[in-house]
Amino acid sequence: MASTASASARPIGPIGSSVASDLARFAGLLADQTRTEILCALMDGRAHTGSELARHVGVAPSTTSEHLSKLLDGGVVAVEAQGRHRYWRLADRSTAELLEHLGASASPLGAPAAPAGLRHARTCYDHLAGELAVAIYERMVADGHLVPEDDRVVFGPSGYELLAGIGGDPDAVRAARRPTARACLDWTQRRHHLAGAAGTAFLDALLANDWIRRGTRPRSVMVTERGRVEIRAAFRLG
């Protein structure tokens, strides 16, 4: 009996240790508030210079550089050099998704606090988030454009029609080599908004129509006067 227990335990040890080590390393990166603020700024899906990030988080450029180096070593961010500047961004979509889910789970007592502008509308890497995005998602579900099925969400034919109706590109969504639609848990609303290729296409269309505009701070989005009217009509928001 003892030898059987020992044999069954052998493969678990190395695998569990590896996972635990990865989790501990990632948790260590997030344990510093400045690094977390840098990652939150990069959640707008765009690349930023170290100086821009330093101004946003309110620390010295040298300190920001040290934090970015640690995040780069941890595989959480990527960097690209162009001329005299180095541009930093999140490593990939999966990193952004993990950060969004962690944000949604950060406060067990209710939705985490956020500036009013970010709470109403913001970007979540490459798609729209916030109160507006949640309202759009729920209306699309109610109207049958999105069909939740178990642990996934199906983007129906009428969803493509809705996208085309606001000037989006349905063909780009069909051709995308990634999930067409995905329910992303919103970290301030604790409800879902639309991610995936369709989520990106809707964000692009709203920006192209000038219904929304990117704000001056990372992730911030401003709804224009025309956008308030057009978005409400297009998505049948009450």
Side-chain angles (χ1 to χ4, degrees):
M1 181 68 71
S3 61
T4 302
S6 175
S8 65
R10 274 197 291 271
I12 297 176
I15 295 174
S17 297
S18 175
V19 172
S21 177
D22 289 342
L23 286 173
R25 184 166 56 252
F26 186 68
L29 291 173
L30 296 182
D32 184 274
Q33 183 170 340
T34 299
R35 284 197 292 272
T36 302
E37 289 179 357
I38 289 172
L39 291 174
C40 287
L42 293 175
M43 281 284 289
D44 67 355
R46 294 183 290 178
H48 296 272
T49 66
S51 297
E52 291 170 341
L53 292 170
R55 286 194 297 271
H56 175 69
V57 301
V59 300
S62 59
T63 302
T64 301
S65 180
E66 292 176 5
H67 285 304
L68 286 169
S69 293
K70 291 180 179 180
L71 292 170
L72 182 64
D73 290 342
V76 182
V77 302
V79 63
E80 181 178 348
Q82 288 190 5
R84 299 169 54 190
H85 298 287
R86 303 178 79 199
Y87 290 87
W88 301 85
R89 57 177 175 79
L90 288 183
D92 49 33
R93 287 190 183 92
S94 62
T95 300
E97 293 168 4
L98 177 57
L99 291 170
E100 184 77 4
H101 280 282
L102 286 174
S105 304
S107 175
L109 299 179
L118 293 185
R119 182 177 289 276
H120 178 66
R122 65 183 185 278
T123 52
C124 176
Y125 197 62
D126 59 0
H127 55 272
L128 188 67
E131 292 172 343
L132 177 61
V134 167
I136 289 174
Y137 178 90
E138 293 179 350
R139 184 72 256 174
M140 290 180 69
V141 170
D143 288 347
H145 306 312
L146 295 172
V147 182
E149 291 187 357
D150 297 325
D151 60 345
R152 68 190 187 106
V153 59
V154 176
F155 191 58
S158 64
Y160 287 102
E161 294 175 5
L162 176 63
L163 177 61
I166 66 170
D169 187 355
D171 290 336
V173 176
R174 294 187 181 98
R177 301 174 66 178
R178 55 184 291 210
T180 299
R182 190 177 59 78
C184 183
L185 185 62
D186 195 283
W187 71 272
T188 59
Q189 303 306 302
R190 303 297 179 86
R191 286 142 60 198
H192 291 116
H193 59 242
L194 178 62
T200 299
F202 274 107
L203 173 62
D204 290 344
L206 294 176
L207 288 167
N209 292 343
D210 196 37
W211 293 356
I212 63 173
R213 296 174 186 168
R214 293 188 183 273
T216 56
R217 59 185 298 176
R219 300 193 70 179
S220 63
V221 169
M222 179 188 71
V223 181
T224 64
E225 289 295 331
R226 179 185 171 214
R228 289 189 180 91
V229 176
E230 298 291 351
I231 290 173
R232 186 174 297 276
F235 294 98
R236 294 185 353 104
L237 302 181

